[in-house]
Amino acid sequence: MSNSPTHCRLDGRTSSVLLSNHGAIPALAWFGNRLVSSIADSMLENLDDAAHAFANLDARAALSLFPQAASGYMGSPALVGRRYNTNHTTHFTLSDIEQSAQTVTVTLSDEQSRLTLTKQVTLDSNSDVLTIRTSLKNNGTDDYHVDWLASGTLPLPNHFTNCTSQHGRWGLETQSITRPIGPGRLDVQNWHGRTGHEHAPNVICSTEHLCEDHGEAMFLHLAWSGNYSFRTERLNDGNAYVQAGMLLRPGELVIAPGAEFSCPELHLTKGHGLNECTQRFHQYARENILPAWTRKPRPIHANSWEAMYFDLNDEDLKSLVDAAATIGAERFVLDDGWFIGRRDDTAGLGDWQVDQTVFPNGLEPLVKHVRSHGMQFGLWFEPEMVNPNSNLYREHPEWTLHFDQIETPLARNQLVLDVSREDVSNYLFNCINDLVAEYKIDYIKWDMNRDLVLAGDGVFPRASEQPKAVYALMQRLTKAHPNLEIESCSSGGARCDFGVLKCTGRVWTSDNIDPLARTTIQQGFARFFPPEIMGAHVGHMHAHLTGRSTNLHTRAIVALQGQFGFELDARVLDEQEMATLHHYTMLYKKHRAWLNDATYWQLPTSDTLLIGSGQVEQSQHEALFSIVLLDSLRHTRPGCQRLRGLNPETRYWVSLASINIDQLAPFNRTLPPWCTEDFICTGELLMTIGLPLPVMPPQSAVLVHCVAEAN
Ligand code: GLA
C-alpha cells in the first residue's frame, strides 16, 4: 500500500500501542507504558529486530499481527483452513490500514483464496485494556472451512519468561500454575464446551519475578464460553509469542460464500505488578462489559440449595425465608428442585413448569411470603439441559446435541439441548418468559452443569454455536424483562468470561463455600473479574464440599469479599450466631455502595498461608482489608501486614471491623493496641511499616476498617 501510514500509535491513560507497518503485514512494535517521545518512522524502521542469522530461511519470517505459514513462520499460524479442490494455502497481504480515535483497523486480503481478514485493535483510554477483534470474510463462491483462526497473536518481550494460567476442578476453581515459556509450544486447550473448571481463559505472561507490586506482566483474557486454546512458545530465533482463539472440531466452522465470521474478542493489558493489571481489567469490565444493574448496590442473597437441597415444601421454605429475613437477606433464591419430576438429579430437567405435587398452588404462596418480608425472589434454571427422564426428552429426543448412531455419555444424568436450534431456543424462551412474567422474578440463577461431549447436530460438530445461542437467549429474556438479573453458574464457577458477562452480572464463584478453599478460589477469580460480581455465601459450619468445620467469623469475612449472601439453614442458628451474622450483614449494607466500584488490592504477605486483600474506596476515603490465615504459621506471630491503595498523606482511623476479638484474644499475651483502642495513622505508614496483626489461630481471619479522619 503506497500511501498507508508506516506506523500507527494509540495512547491510553498510562499505555501506548505502536503498530509498525514496514513488513508485509503490520506488527505490534510496542504495547506497554505510555510513550512520551514523538516517534519518527525511521526510528521504528531501525528498531525492527532485523538481524538475520545463518541456517534459517533466506528471508526472516516476522511475527506480525497475522503470522502465516506461507511466509515461513514456524510458530502457530493465525489461520488454518481450506477450500476443497483448490490451493489450500493462504497468503494474505495488506490491503488497508486506518486509524480512527482509539482503533486501528487492518484489512488483509488473499485474492487467490478469496478471503478478507479484518483486525481491529482498540485501546480503551480509561482502563488501558487493549481489545483485538478479528473477522474473516469468504469472498468466494464455495464454502471456506476453518480449522483454526486465532483471535490474536502477540509478540512477547524477550525478557518475558513465564506463563501463568488458571486451572482447577469442581469445587476448586482458578488456581494458578506458572510455567516457563521455552522451546516447544505450551498449549492450554479447553475442550469442555464451556468456559470450564479445568482451564480458565485467563493467562498472565510475565517476567520471572512477578508479585503484587513488581514485575512486568501481560494479562490476557478470551471472551468466550466454549472451547479454546492459549498457546505460548519461544521460537528458535528467541522470539516468543502468545496466541489465543476458539478451538474447533474438524468441519465445525464453515464460512458460506459471502459470509463473515467473527472470532471471540481477546482482551489484554500490560502493566507493573499483578495489582495494576487486575485493576485495569476490573475497570474495563465495569465500564464496558457488565450489565448496568451491576453498578447498583448488590442485594444480599439467601439461597435454598445447601439448606434444603431437593427436599422442598412450602412450609419449610417459608420458615427458611423467615430466618433468612431475620439475618438481613434481601433476595430469596429457590434453587434446584421446584419443577416437574425433579425430586433428585435423575429427572426433570427440561420440564420447566412448577411441580404441583410439591407446590399444589404453584409458587404464588412462597413468592407472596418472600415479598411480605420486602425481599426479592429468584429462581434456579438450567435451561441448556435435559434429563432423558423428562417429558421434554420423551417428546423431542432430536433436540439434544449428539452424533447419529453414537451414544452420548451422560453427565449428572443429563444431556445438552442444541440451543442454536430455533425451536429449542423458542421453547426455552417461552418457558422462562412465562414464569418470569407470572411471578415477577427478579433474578435467575442460570446453571450449566456438564461438559459438552459429542456436541453435534447429528452430523456436524456444533459446540461453537452453543455459547452464542445461549448469549442470544439470555439477551432475548433481558430485553423482554429489563429488570431481570441473571447469574452465571456452572457447577460453581465453570462459566465466567467476558462473553457471558455481557448478559449476566453475577457469577456463582464455586460450589465450595468452605471459607479456606474459597479464599484461594476468590483470589484467582478477582485477579481478572471485579469482586462485586463474585457471589460469596456464608455456609454451614461443616462445609458440605470439604467436611471441614470453620468459625462463623472466618466464613463471614471471606463472604464479605464478594456479593455477600447466605447458603445455610438459618433456622438452626442459635442466638449468638444470628447476632454475629447480623453484624456482618449490617457491615455489608453499610459499605456496599462504595464497595461496588472500589479499587481491589491483593496484599503482599509474609507467608503463603496468609492471604490478604482489600477494597479501597475510589477517593481513598475508606477501605476494608481482610487477612485470612489458612493454617498454623511456622513463626509465633504474623507480624506487620503492609496495606495497599491508601492515600499516603491521609490520616486514617484504623479499627477491627470483625467482631472476633474473643476468638483472637486467648492466643495473644498482648494484643496490638489498635485491636481494642482508637488508632489513627497515615496511609503511608500503614503501607510501608504495615499494621501489626494479632496472633491468629489457624483458619481465622481479621477484617480491618480504615476511614479517613474528618477534616
Ligand atoms: C450446581 C450449582 C449449585 C446448585 C446445584 C443444583 O451444582 O453450582 O449451586 O444450584 O447445581 O442442582
Side-chain angles (χ1 to χ4, degrees):
M1 293 240 37
S2 52
N3 56 356
S4 50
T6 45
H7 80 264
C8 297
R9 172 178 179 158
L10 301 171
D11 288 318
R13 207 169 33 88
T14 56
S15 303
S16 293
V17 178
L18 280 180
L19 287 176
S20 78
N21 187 19
H22 298 110
I25 290 180
L28 185 72
W30 174 248
F31 175 43
N33 276 0
R34 190 181 162 122
L35 303 167
V36 292
S37 56
S38 75
I39 289 149
D41 286 336
S42 61
M43 299 176 189
L44 273 187
E45 212 163 332
N46 275 288
L47 289 177
D48 185 23
D49 186 11
H52 193 33
F54 293 107
N56 282 125
L57 297 178
D58 289 347
R60 221 169 46 90
L63 220 169
S64 70
L65 274 185
F66 189 80
Q68 39 188 353
S71 67
Y73 171 75
M74 309 281 180
S76 175
L79 171 68
V80 180
R82 80 209 102 91
R83 231 181 252 291
Y84 288 114
N85 306 318
T86 180
N87 188 346
H88 278 206
T89 303
T90 52
H91 192 207
F92 286 83
T93 53
L94 180 68
S95 65
D96 192 26
I97 178 164
E98 61 177 49
Q99 180 169 357
S100 63
Q102 288 302 97
T103 298
V104 176
T105 305
V106 175
T107 311
L108 309 176
S109 57
D110 179 346
E111 296 295 330
Q112 197 192 351
S113 301
R114 283 156 289 141
L115 296 169
T116 306
L117 188 289
T118 310
K119 227 170 232 301
Q120 282 191 334
V121 179
T122 304
L123 181 63
D124 180 53
S125 44
N126 289 340
S127 65
D128 293 291
V129 169
L130 190 69
T131 297
I132 301 182
R133 298 182 178 88
T134 299
S135 56
L136 183 65
K137 183 162 187 225
N138 178 4
N139 307 311
T141 51
D142 56 348
D143 290 343
Y144 187 74
H145 298 252
V146 179
D147 292 334
W148 167 252
L149 175 58
S151 287
T153 312
L154 285 308
L156 293 171
N158 277 350
H159 59 294
F160 273 41
T161 51
N162 287 356
C163 174
T164 302
S165 43
Q166 294 187 327
H167 304 269
R169 59 161 167 87
W170 175 60
L172 198 64
E173 294 84 345
T174 53
Q175 308 294 303
S176 288
I177 295 182
T178 300
R179 287 174 274 207
I181 302 171
R185 193 178 301 162
L186 172 64
D187 188 354
V188 175
Q189 296 199 354
N190 173 49
W191 282 112
H192 292 262
R194 53 175 164 170
T195 324
H197 294 107
E198 292 74 9
H199 319 287
N202 310 328
V203 161
I204 302 171
C205 296
S206 71
T207 51
E208 195 178 346
H209 300 291
L210 178 68
C211 64
E212 312 305 339
D213 300 331
H214 304 292
E216 285 178 62
M218 185 189 278
F219 275 37
L220 298 112
H221 170 74
L222 190 70
W224 183 236
S225 317
N227 296 328
Y228 49 76
S229 152
F230 265 92
R231 302 169 180 184
T232 49
E233 181 177 13
R234 190 173 303 282
L235 299 167
N236 91 337
D237 64 2
N239 283 340
Y241 67 89
V242 56
Q243 186 179 60
M246 59 195 267
L247 276 176
L248 300 160
R249 301 277 182 202
E252 184 164 350
L253 177 55
V254 180
I255 309 180
E260 184 162 10
F261 171 80
S262 297
C263 296
E265 292 172 359
L266 181 64
H267 303 278
L268 57 142
T269 194
K270 184 157 156 259
H272 295 268
L274 290 160
N275 277 326
E276 184 175 72
C277 296
T278 292
Q279 289 160 9
R280 291 178 182 176
F281 258 80
H282 291 182
Q283 185 179 0
Y284 185 78
R286 287 166 176 165
E287 294 174 1
N288 301 280
I289 303 288
L290 296 167
W293 51 261
T294 62
R295 301 300 91 219
K296 291 185 289 189
R298 312 306 306 128
I300 297 176
H301 283 205
N303 182 296
S304 68
W305 182 238
E306 290 209 3
M308 294 174 74
Y309 291 107
F310 291 107
D311 194 11
L312 304 177
N313 64 69
D314 254 331
E315 207 177 302
D316 284 342
L317 279 165
K318 282 181 185 168
S319 60
L320 187 64
V321 171
D322 294 339
T326 315
I327 50 174
E330 298 162 309
R331 178 183 280 167
F332 184 78
V333 182
L334 178 57
D335 210 283
D336 198 355
W338 55 268
F339 45 95
I340 295 181
R342 189 67 168 175
R343 302 289 68 78
D344 55 32
D345 69 7
T346 63
L349 290 174
D351 297 341
W352 300 111
Q353 293 88 32
V354 179
D355 194 327
Q356 303 283 337
T357 63
V358 181
F359 300 98
N361 301 307
L363 294 181
E364 190 57 30
L366 175 65
V367 175
K368 238 173 129 182
H369 193 76
V370 169
R371 300 225 188 270
S372 73
H373 283 288
M375 291 161 83
Q376 296 186 357
F377 180 69
L379 196 59
W380 182 94
F381 287 90
E382 197 180 356
E384 295 138 82
M385 299 295 159
V386 65
N387 286 117
N389 186 4
S390 66
N391 298 332
L392 182 70
Y393 185 78
R394 282 182 282 273
E395 243 172 80
H396 289 293
E398 78 285 4
W399 278 10
T400 56
L401 286 168
H402 70 286
F403 279 95
D404 293 343
Q405 316 301 333
I406 307 178
E407 197 177 325
T408 312
L410 294 173
R412 208 191 186 202
N413 312 301
Q414 61 201 53
L415 294 166
V416 188
L417 295 170
D418 182 352
V419 184
S420 70
R421 286 175 62 127
E422 213 181 322
D423 45 9
V424 173
S425 86
N426 281 342
Y427 167 79
L428 293 172
F429 175 80
N430 290 333
C431 291
I432 303 171
N433 182 56
D434 288 354
L435 287 159
V436 173
E438 182 177 356
Y439 297 115
K440 305 210 169 28
I441 292 170
D442 300 287
Y443 151 98
I444 287 177
K445 177 176 176 182
W446 188 300
D447 213 336
M448 195 283 197
N449 282 322
R450 66 157 291 174
D451 291 337
L452 268 55
V453 178
L454 291 173
D457 63 3
V459 180
F460 295 104
R462 302 287 288 171
S464 56
E465 293 300 315
Q466 189 78 350
K468 287 186 259 175
V470 172
Y471 302 158
L473 178 58
M474 288 172 168
Q475 277 156 356
R476 192 173 163 198
L477 281 160
T478 45
K479 198 160 171 230
H481 305 278
N483 293 326
L484 178 68
E485 299 184 7
I486 302 183
E487 172 182 74
S488 176
C489 173
S490 182
S491 318
R495 187 153 63 188
C496 180
D497 58 81
F498 281 1
V500 77
L501 286 176
K502 284 188 176 160
C503 331
T504 58
R506 182 186 135 110
V507 178
W508 181 227
T509 320
S510 179
D511 278 350
N512 194 344
I513 41 182
D514 171 331
L516 303 175
R518 191 77 178 199
T519 295
T520 65
I521 297 168
Q522 292 185 177
Q523 291 275 111
F525 181 99
R527 272 270 177 259
F528 281 80
F529 307 110
E532 70 274 9
I533 68 161
M534 177 168 82
H537 294 172
V538 179
H540 290 109
M541 181 170 77
H542 303 287
H544 291 188
L545 254 73
T546 62
R548 184 159 42 200
S549 302
T550 50
N551 187 282
L552 183 53
H553 296 282
T554 310
R555 280 177 273 149
I557 293 167
V558 172
L560 277 165
Q561 293 169 359
Q563 186 184 345
F564 189 74
F566 312 110
E567 188 147 346
L568 44 68
D569 191 346
R571 296 170 300 179
V572 301
L573 299 176
D574 64 25
E575 222 171 281
Q576 170 90 48
E577 291 169 319
M578 292 290 259
T580 303
L581 271 186
H582 190 253
H583 167 81
Y584 291 109
T585 306
M586 295 311 286
L587 201 78
Y588 180 69
K589 288 184 181 171
K590 183 167 167 210
H591 296 293
R592 65 181 158 189
W594 66 261
L595 281 173
N596 221 30
D597 64 351
T599 310
Y600 175 81
W601 296 85
Q602 295 196 358
L603 303 178
T605 57
S606 57
D607 194 297
T608 49
L609 292 172
L610 271 175
I611 312 274
S613 63
Q615 310 216 47
V616 182
E617 196 244 350
Q618 287 287 332
S619 67
Q620 296 171 302
H621 176 79
E622 203 161 4
L624 278 170
F625 296 94
S626 58
I627 295 104
V628 182
L629 177 60
L630 299 180
D631 208 335
S632 294
L633 275 178
R634 198 158 55 87
H635 303 289
T636 53
R637 311 160 330 126
C640 287
Q641 174 58 56
R642 289 161 296 155
L643 305 183
R644 287 290 175 263
L646 301 171
N647 184 335
E649 286 162 34
T650 302
R651 285 156 52 99
Y652 292 92
W653 287 107
V654 182
S655 60
L656 193 64
S658 44
I659 47 164
N660 55 343
I661 200 76
D662 291 349
Q663 181 197 10
L664 304 170
F667 299 90
N668 288 265
R669 270 171 86 163
T670 316
L671 275 165
W674 69 270
C675 292
T676 48
E677 293 161 19
D678 290 348
F679 172 53
I680 197 158
C681 187
T682 63
E684 183 176 46
L685 293 183
L686 293 168
M687 294 191 290
T688 50
I689 298 175
L691 184 67
L693 293 177
V695 174
M696 296 164 67
Q699 311 190 343
S700 67
V702 292
L703 188 66
V704 179
H705 181 228
C706 301
V707 63
E709 183 187 32
N711 289 325

